[in-house]
Amino acid sequence: MPRPRKYPDELIQRGVRLALESGRPISHVARDIGLPPETLRKRVRQVEADQGLRPDLPTSEEREEIKQLRKENFELRRANEILKAASVFFATELDADRPR
């Protein structure tokens, strides 16, 4: 279960809008509306990436895709380890029954 958010989304969105439209430093906007500067800075950077203003950062959709691919990769690696263990087990079982 995700952790509850400390600050309302409306407040953060207003801060992002103010920071982008006013041209003021993010730390000043954050202080004015009562948010930690780093919280607002992260959100401003993400909005800039989503709007194509920051090509060096992944967009929200790309972040979600990366998250899903990492989860799938973890599950596939786990399944692969199980199959390796099973193949070793059955190989030793078959070798034990073979006459020498």
Side-chain angles (χ1 to χ4, degrees):
M1 186 164 99
R3 179 177 66 164
R5 296 199 184 266
K6 232 177 187 179
Y7 304 100
D9 281 337
E10 297 83 25
L11 181 65
I12 294 174
Q13 290 171 1
R14 184 170 39 146
V16 168
R17 196 170 44 254
L18 281 171
L20 291 175
E21 291 173 358
S22 70
R24 294 175 50 208
I26 293 172
S27 59
H28 293 178
V29 173
R31 185 182 56 221
D32 289 347
I33 62 173
L35 286 174
E38 195 56 34
T39 300
L40 186 58
R41 185 173 288 113
K42 285 180 185 179
R43 286 295 189 93
V44 168
R45 289 181 66 179
Q46 189 59 52
V47 167
E48 288 174 341
D50 291 344
Q51 292 176 349
L53 302 173
R54 299 283 304 253
D56 58 325
L57 297 175
T59 63
S60 295
E61 293 83 24
E62 291 171 337
R63 285 180 187 265
E64 188 61 34
E65 182 182 5
I66 289 170
K67 183 178 173 183
Q68 292 296 328
L69 290 172
R70 285 183 177 161
K71 182 178 178 182
E72 182 181 353
N73 191 7
F74 174 77
E75 291 172 0
L76 290 172
R77 286 180 190 270
R78 197 172 91 211
N80 197 19
E81 290 299 318
I82 291 170
L83 290 173
K84 282 180 184 178
S87 67
V88 167
F89 172 77
F90 287 117
T92 56
E93 287 290 316
L94 290 174
D95 282 346
D97 293 342
R98 188 169 23 155
R100 296 188 185 229

